[in-house]
Amino acid sequence: MSSKKQRRRDAISALVLEQGAVTVGSLAERFDVSMQTIRRDVDKLCEGDMLHRVHGRIELSKEFLNTPFDQRATTNLLGKQAIGSAAASLIPDGSTVFISIGSTPLSVAQAMCSRSNLTIITNNMSAAMVLSEEVSNRIILPGGELRLPDRDILGDDVLEFFGRYRADFGVFGVAGIAEDGALLDFHSTEVRARQKIRANSSTSLLVVDQSKFGRPAPALGDNIADMDVTIIDRIPAGPYASLTQNINGRLLVAEGDST
């Protein structure tokens, strides 16, 4: 396969990961190639499990699509609240904190309401609103389009935004964790934003409830072994238990071992 063809197919995959679905016609126009060429690209990309073609467009398979934010926010609520409290206990007044998108980082923000004089740098609008109730806090937000219903901002501007700051703590979650410890998300921009937060934080805090172990998502970046501190609600079962054993010195279990 030519390098030009491979780059085009990689770019198509990245677009679908970002948008969830893209029409074949718009791809032909974007890459300035014939419909026949794009159809061959799409057919090849759809040979795997992640992408499939439906009615003139290419889209992510259902198992790789995220659930609505409000549904995620109320799933395992007690576990996420425990994680939030454990993470907040590590963050003193006056800290500068990155907070990523997601329902578990939002639980951390909710648990930080008793803190004061914080500098919060976030693209998570729900977290920003929660922490804005303390008037001594400073809230810094990126520009861009608000993604609904998640109430967050993504895109290249967000990467530049996080690159302009340094923080004492970076708080972020993930969509899933693979059996080898790889961290997974539904969009490549989520991965890049998390990586920028981690790179610019003195201490990285990965906050995940047990449901994320073994949950599939298409975008790959980093490994649980690379995190400074991982905070979970319960020790996961099966093959994922060994992951937590390998990071035992950097693991905080908020509710205790489920056994």
Side-chain angles (χ1 to χ4, degrees), residues 32-50:
D32 193 23
V33 295
S34 68
M35 290 288 288
Q36 184 179 9
T37 295
I38 284 294
R39 288 192 182 101
R40 285 198 295 266
D41 289 337
V42 168
D43 289 342
K44 185 65 177 178
L45 291 170
C46 290
E47 288 179 357
D49 295 330
M50 188 173 68

Side-chain angles (χ1 to χ4, degrees), residues 71-192:
Q71 180 179 336
R72 284 182 280 129
T74 56
T75 301
N76 192 17
L77 185 58
L78 292 178
K80 290 178 180 177
Q81 288 174 343
I83 291 169
S85 296
S89 71
L90 303 177
I91 301 173
D93 290 348
S95 298
T96 298
V97 186
F98 289 129
I99 300 179
S100 80
I101 66 173
S103 59
T104 310
L106 174 58
S107 296
V108 178
Q110 291 166 338
M112 290 168 59
C113 284
S114 61
R115 299 288 180 269
S116 60
N117 296 304
L118 299 171
T119 297
I120 302 297
I121 303 163
T122 185
N123 58 335
N124 185 328
M125 297 301 104
S126 297
M129 293 304 296
V130 165
L131 290 165
S132 68
E133 295 180 10
E134 170 52 58
V135 296
S136 69
N137 290 338
R138 180 187 182 201
I139 312 292
I140 303 175
L141 305 171
E145 181 178 350
L146 190 66
R147 185 176 65 156
L148 297 174
D150 295 67
R151 297 183 291 276
D152 57 36
I153 298 174
L154 286 174
D156 291 338
D157 290 343
V158 170
L159 301 180
E160 182 183 351
F161 165 74
F162 283 127
R164 295 199 300 265
Y165 298 95
R166 297 293 184 271
D168 302 308
F169 299 92
V171 177
F172 47 83
V174 292
I177 300 176
E179 194 168 328
D180 63 356
L183 304 183
L184 309 173
D185 273 300
F186 286 96
H187 302 284
S188 60
T189 49
E190 294 175 340
V191 173
R192 297 198 303 272

